Short mmCIF file of all heavy atoms in Angstrom, two decimals:
data_model
loop_
_atom_site.label_atom_id
_atom_site.label_comp_id
_atom_site.label_asym_id
_atom_site.label_seq_id
_atom_site.Cartn_x
_atom_site.Cartn_y
_atom_site.Cartn_z
N ASN L 1 -24.58 82.59 -118.68
CA ASN L 1 -25.29 83.21 -119.86
C ASN L 1 -26.58 82.43 -120.07
O ASN L 1 -27.47 82.46 -119.24
CB ASN L 1 -24.41 83.19 -121.03
CG ASN L 1 -23.12 84.03 -120.83
OD1 ASN L 1 -23.19 85.15 -120.31
ND2 ASN L 1 -21.96 83.53 -121.24
N VAL L 2 -26.74 81.77 -121.20
CA VAL L 2 -27.88 80.94 -121.50
C VAL L 2 -27.94 79.69 -120.65
O VAL L 2 -26.98 79.09 -120.38
CB VAL L 2 -27.95 80.68 -122.96
CG1 VAL L 2 -29.13 79.74 -123.35
CG2 VAL L 2 -28.03 81.85 -123.87
N MET L 3 -29.17 79.37 -120.19
CA MET L 3 -29.45 78.13 -119.50
C MET L 3 -30.51 77.48 -120.31
O MET L 3 -31.42 78.15 -120.82
CB MET L 3 -29.92 78.36 -118.05
CG MET L 3 -28.99 79.26 -117.27
SD MET L 3 -29.50 79.44 -115.49
CE MET L 3 -28.99 77.87 -114.86
N GLY L 4 -30.51 76.18 -120.34
CA GLY L 4 -31.53 75.45 -121.13
C GLY L 4 -31.69 73.93 -120.86
O GLY L 4 -30.92 73.45 -120.01
N TRP L 5 -32.64 73.37 -121.38
CA TRP L 5 -32.91 71.95 -121.30
C TRP L 5 -32.89 71.27 -122.65
O TRP L 5 -33.62 71.78 -123.57
CB TRP L 5 -34.27 71.79 -120.56
CG TRP L 5 -34.31 72.13 -119.17
CD1 TRP L 5 -34.64 73.31 -118.63
CD2 TRP L 5 -33.95 71.28 -118.03
NE1 TRP L 5 -34.49 73.32 -117.24
CE2 TRP L 5 -34.05 72.11 -116.89
CE3 TRP L 5 -33.44 70.03 -117.88
CZ2 TRP L 5 -33.84 71.56 -115.60
CZ3 TRP L 5 -33.17 69.52 -116.64
CH2 TRP L 5 -33.32 70.32 -115.47
N TYR L 6 -32.23 70.17 -122.75
CA TYR L 6 -32.31 69.37 -123.86
C TYR L 6 -32.91 67.98 -123.47
O TYR L 6 -32.98 67.69 -122.29
CB TYR L 6 -30.90 69.09 -124.45
CG TYR L 6 -30.34 70.28 -125.12
CD1 TYR L 6 -29.88 71.42 -124.35
CD2 TYR L 6 -30.21 70.40 -126.48
CE1 TYR L 6 -29.31 72.49 -124.97
CE2 TYR L 6 -29.58 71.50 -127.08
CZ TYR L 6 -29.10 72.56 -126.31
OH TYR L 6 -28.58 73.61 -126.94
N ARG L 7 -33.37 67.23 -124.40
CA ARG L 7 -33.84 65.82 -124.18
C ARG L 7 -33.37 64.92 -125.23
O ARG L 7 -33.18 65.32 -126.37
CB ARG L 7 -35.33 65.83 -123.96
CG ARG L 7 -36.14 66.11 -125.28
CD ARG L 7 -37.58 66.21 -124.89
NE ARG L 7 -38.46 66.40 -126.12
CZ ARG L 7 -39.76 66.66 -126.07
NH1 ARG L 7 -40.36 66.64 -124.95
NH2 ARG L 7 -40.40 66.85 -127.19
N GLN L 8 -33.28 63.60 -124.90
CA GLN L 8 -32.88 62.61 -125.82
C GLN L 8 -33.79 61.37 -125.49
O GLN L 8 -33.73 60.80 -124.46
CB GLN L 8 -31.44 62.20 -125.67
CG GLN L 8 -31.00 61.24 -126.74
CD GLN L 8 -29.51 61.12 -126.74
OE1 GLN L 8 -28.73 61.47 -125.94
NE2 GLN L 8 -29.07 60.66 -127.93
N ALA L 9 -34.69 61.06 -126.51
CA ALA L 9 -35.51 59.92 -126.34
C ALA L 9 -34.83 58.70 -126.88
O ALA L 9 -33.91 58.80 -127.65
CB ALA L 9 -36.83 60.15 -127.17
N PRO L 10 -35.26 57.57 -126.56
CA PRO L 10 -34.62 56.26 -127.01
C PRO L 10 -34.63 56.21 -128.56
O PRO L 10 -35.65 56.46 -129.15
CB PRO L 10 -35.53 55.21 -126.42
CG PRO L 10 -36.12 55.78 -125.18
CD PRO L 10 -36.33 57.23 -125.51
N GLY L 11 -33.43 55.99 -129.03
CA GLY L 11 -33.32 55.85 -130.45
C GLY L 11 -33.31 57.17 -131.30
O GLY L 11 -33.22 57.16 -132.53
N LYS L 12 -33.33 58.25 -130.59
CA LYS L 12 -33.34 59.58 -131.23
C LYS L 12 -32.22 60.47 -130.84
O LYS L 12 -31.48 60.16 -129.82
CB LYS L 12 -34.65 60.33 -130.91
CG LYS L 12 -35.90 59.60 -131.42
CD LYS L 12 -37.22 60.48 -131.07
CE LYS L 12 -38.44 59.80 -131.61
NZ LYS L 12 -39.62 60.61 -131.33
N GLU L 13 -31.91 61.50 -131.58
CA GLU L 13 -30.90 62.41 -131.25
C GLU L 13 -31.25 63.48 -130.18
O GLU L 13 -32.52 63.68 -130.06
CB GLU L 13 -30.38 63.18 -132.47
CG GLU L 13 -29.75 62.33 -133.60
CD GLU L 13 -29.23 63.07 -134.72
OE1 GLU L 13 -29.53 64.26 -134.85
OE2 GLU L 13 -28.49 62.47 -135.59
N ARG L 14 -30.37 64.02 -129.47
CA ARG L 14 -30.64 65.02 -128.48
C ARG L 14 -31.20 66.22 -129.15
O ARG L 14 -30.71 66.67 -130.27
CB ARG L 14 -29.36 65.35 -127.71
CG ARG L 14 -29.64 66.29 -126.57
CD ARG L 14 -28.27 66.47 -125.78
NE ARG L 14 -27.13 66.92 -126.60
CZ ARG L 14 -25.93 66.95 -126.20
NH1 ARG L 14 -25.58 66.56 -124.96
NH2 ARG L 14 -25.01 67.33 -127.06
N GLU L 15 -32.20 66.84 -128.62
CA GLU L 15 -32.72 68.01 -129.10
C GLU L 15 -33.03 69.12 -128.03
O GLU L 15 -33.20 68.82 -126.87
CB GLU L 15 -34.17 67.64 -129.81
CG GLU L 15 -35.22 67.20 -128.76
CD GLU L 15 -36.52 66.90 -129.44
OE1 GLU L 15 -36.71 67.24 -130.59
OE2 GLU L 15 -37.50 66.38 -128.73
N LEU L 16 -33.04 70.31 -128.53
CA LEU L 16 -33.25 71.40 -127.56
C LEU L 16 -34.72 71.47 -127.27
O LEU L 16 -35.57 71.42 -128.13
CB LEU L 16 -32.87 72.76 -128.19
CG LEU L 16 -33.18 74.02 -127.48
CD1 LEU L 16 -32.34 74.06 -126.13
CD2 LEU L 16 -32.88 75.24 -128.26
N VAL L 17 -35.05 71.59 -126.01
CA VAL L 17 -36.43 71.78 -125.46
C VAL L 17 -36.76 73.17 -125.25
O VAL L 17 -37.75 73.75 -125.77
CB VAL L 17 -36.71 70.89 -124.27
CG1 VAL L 17 -38.10 71.10 -123.75
CG2 VAL L 17 -36.40 69.41 -124.52
N ALA L 18 -35.96 73.82 -124.48
CA ALA L 18 -36.18 75.21 -124.11
C ALA L 18 -34.87 75.83 -123.63
O ALA L 18 -33.99 75.14 -123.15
CB ALA L 18 -37.23 75.37 -122.99
N ALA L 19 -34.74 77.13 -123.83
CA ALA L 19 -33.56 77.85 -123.40
C ALA L 19 -34.00 79.20 -122.92
O ALA L 19 -35.04 79.78 -123.35
CB ALA L 19 -32.61 77.98 -124.48
N ILE L 20 -33.24 79.88 -122.06
CA ILE L 20 -33.52 81.08 -121.45
C ILE L 20 -32.26 81.92 -121.33
O ILE L 20 -31.30 81.47 -120.80
CB ILE L 20 -34.37 80.96 -120.17
CG1 ILE L 20 -34.83 82.35 -119.64
CG2 ILE L 20 -33.47 80.25 -119.11
CD1 ILE L 20 -35.89 82.26 -118.53
N THR L 21 -32.33 83.20 -121.73
CA THR L 21 -31.13 84.02 -121.70
C THR L 21 -30.96 84.58 -120.28
O THR L 21 -31.80 84.51 -119.45
CB THR L 21 -31.30 85.14 -122.70
OG1 THR L 21 -32.31 86.04 -122.29
CG2 THR L 21 -31.52 84.65 -124.06
N SER L 22 -29.81 85.31 -120.12
CA SER L 22 -29.59 85.93 -118.83
C SER L 22 -30.61 87.02 -118.56
O SER L 22 -30.84 87.34 -117.39
CB SER L 22 -28.21 86.56 -118.83
OG SER L 22 -27.97 87.45 -119.86
N GLY L 23 -31.24 87.52 -119.55
CA GLY L 23 -32.28 88.52 -119.40
C GLY L 23 -33.69 87.91 -119.32
O GLY L 23 -34.68 88.62 -119.40
N SER L 24 -33.72 86.61 -119.23
CA SER L 24 -34.99 85.80 -119.02
C SER L 24 -35.79 85.83 -120.30
O SER L 24 -37.07 85.71 -120.22
CB SER L 24 -35.81 86.39 -117.85
OG SER L 24 -35.11 86.13 -116.71
N SER L 25 -35.20 85.87 -121.43
CA SER L 25 -35.97 85.80 -122.76
C SER L 25 -35.93 84.32 -123.07
O SER L 25 -34.89 83.68 -123.37
CB SER L 25 -35.27 86.58 -123.80
OG SER L 25 -35.96 86.47 -125.05
N PRO L 26 -37.20 83.67 -123.21
CA PRO L 26 -37.23 82.24 -123.45
C PRO L 26 -37.45 81.85 -124.96
O PRO L 26 -37.93 82.63 -125.65
CB PRO L 26 -38.45 81.80 -122.65
CG PRO L 26 -39.33 82.94 -122.80
CD PRO L 26 -38.50 84.18 -122.80
N ASN L 27 -37.00 80.64 -125.23
CA ASN L 27 -37.22 80.02 -126.51
C ASN L 27 -37.67 78.58 -126.34
O ASN L 27 -37.14 77.94 -125.42
CB ASN L 27 -36.09 80.12 -127.44
CG ASN L 27 -35.76 81.46 -127.98
OD1 ASN L 27 -36.48 82.04 -128.84
ND2 ASN L 27 -34.74 82.14 -127.44
N TYR L 28 -38.59 78.11 -127.14
CA TYR L 28 -39.11 76.79 -126.98
C TYR L 28 -39.15 76.00 -128.34
O TYR L 28 -39.32 76.63 -129.39
CB TYR L 28 -40.49 76.80 -126.43
CG TYR L 28 -40.70 77.48 -125.16
CD1 TYR L 28 -41.06 78.74 -125.00
CD2 TYR L 28 -40.47 76.68 -123.97
CE1 TYR L 28 -41.23 79.37 -123.78
CE2 TYR L 28 -40.61 77.31 -122.68
CZ TYR L 28 -40.93 78.62 -122.59
OH TYR L 28 -41.04 79.21 -121.33
N ALA L 29 -38.95 74.71 -128.21
CA ALA L 29 -39.29 73.85 -129.33
C ALA L 29 -40.75 73.88 -129.65
O ALA L 29 -41.53 74.03 -128.85
CB ALA L 29 -38.81 72.45 -129.07
N ASP L 30 -41.07 73.82 -130.97
CA ASP L 30 -42.46 73.81 -131.28
C ASP L 30 -43.29 72.74 -130.58
O ASP L 30 -44.39 73.01 -130.34
CB ASP L 30 -42.56 73.72 -132.86
CG ASP L 30 -42.14 74.92 -133.58
OD1 ASP L 30 -41.98 76.02 -133.00
OD2 ASP L 30 -41.82 74.80 -134.77
N SER L 31 -42.68 71.61 -130.38
CA SER L 31 -43.44 70.54 -129.82
C SER L 31 -43.86 70.73 -128.36
O SER L 31 -44.78 69.99 -127.90
CB SER L 31 -42.62 69.22 -129.90
OG SER L 31 -41.34 69.38 -129.17
#
């Protein structure tokens, strides 16, 4: 289904970077 990338910087919580649906609809973090 959905595939995505998260990231975790030192001392910070894991956050969503980008995700893409099975229909190739993407979503991105504002940063």
Side-chain angles (χ1 to χ4, degrees):
N1 296 315
V2 175
M3 308 182 77
W5 291 93
Y6 291 72
R7 68 186 181 187
Q8 187 166 20
K12 297 183 179 180
E13 295 184 351
R14 184 174 58 189
E15 64 175 353
L16 175 67
V17 178
I20 187 167
T21 67
S22 60
S24 296
S25 179
N27 288 288
Y28 299 96
D30 289 340
S31 59

